Amino acid sequence: MDTLISRAVTDLKHARTAVALTGAGISIESGIPPFRGKGGLWERFDPMEIAHIDAFVADPALVWRVLVKELKEVIDRALPNDGHKGLARMERMGILKTVITQNVDGLHQAAGSTDVIEFHGTFAWQRCTECETRVPTRDVDASVLPPRCICGGILRPDAVLFGEMIPPIALTRSQEESSQCDVMLVVGTSALVQPAAFMPVIAQQSGATVIEINPEPTPLTGRISKFLVAGKAGQIMNEILSEVSSLIQSKKQ
Ligand code: OAD
């Protein structure tokens, strides 16, 4: 483990441009359940019934009942953990340029990351289906469902639902960052959902070193990623940062 942390630190130290791709795993330590695996959202719900655009259009109140309990109440009280904070600190140290996240919880920004590409949009904001006004999710009154905008239109997550396209700017920027970086940290994603899971492939094919941080191997492991640092995002990030900090200290002396 120590060796892999040191290898990650060395790769980051030599990187011209490092970026991160994150998934639900980085937010588990903030109390937000993942999608797959034990306790995952898709173990309990059929995504086609609660997260597909057609389901939302057919019965927004029904979809909202699940969203309030499973996402709004959870995300409203979630705080960034050491994983999010570590990536934000890496940005401040000039080590990490951009975070591409599949998460819709807004926790990277809450931790202080300033260049975050929200590949699947965000649940931290809701959007009016009539006038497009955006409202912070914390301010949405969910006592009557579906919640409505002051114009009377139904509010919907500013996130990508199944059956919808990835926001073109997020997709284009992610492809650019992936092809231009020389190190990509892939943190807490099962790498099963396309096109997000293709970003590490673009990075690797463009010559970057792809490093995974995840307690479990993924389809990228041994094929696309150079190595997997096995463990929880918060703990691994702390270990990487403590080694980076001591390198910087010894350089200064
Ligand atoms: P998943 O739920 O598919 O995968 C979570 C990953 O996190 C798994 O690989 C776990 O092994 C790993 N993990 C678990 N605990 C961890 C920890 N403490 N630290 C780091 N990693 C940990 O989540 P995503 O890959 O993000 O899309 O899922 C991708 C997309 O599928 C989501 O954005 C969502 C979903 O359908 C949409 O809603 C459009």
Side-chain angles (χ1 to χ4, degrees), residues 189-211:
T189 176
S190 58
L192 290 171
V193 175
Q194 296 295 354
F198 199 63
M199 299 305 124
V201 179
I202 295 178
Q204 192 256 7
Q205 286 178 350
S206 309
T209 298
V210 176
I211 302 167

Side-chain angles (χ1 to χ4, degrees), residues 22-29 33-37 40-42 47 51 101-104 120 159-162 166 187-193 196 213-218 231-234:
T22 66
I26 197 169
S27 292
I28 289 178
E29 292 163 75
F35 295 95
R36 293 168 189 82
L41 208 56
W42 301 155
T101 188
Q102 297 163 86
N103 299 345
V104 294
H120 290 154
V160 177
L161 298 174
F162 283 90
I166 303 299
V187 190
T189 176
S190 58
L192 290 171
V193 175
I213 299 174
N214 196 315
E216 305 287 337
T218 76
K232 295 182 175 178

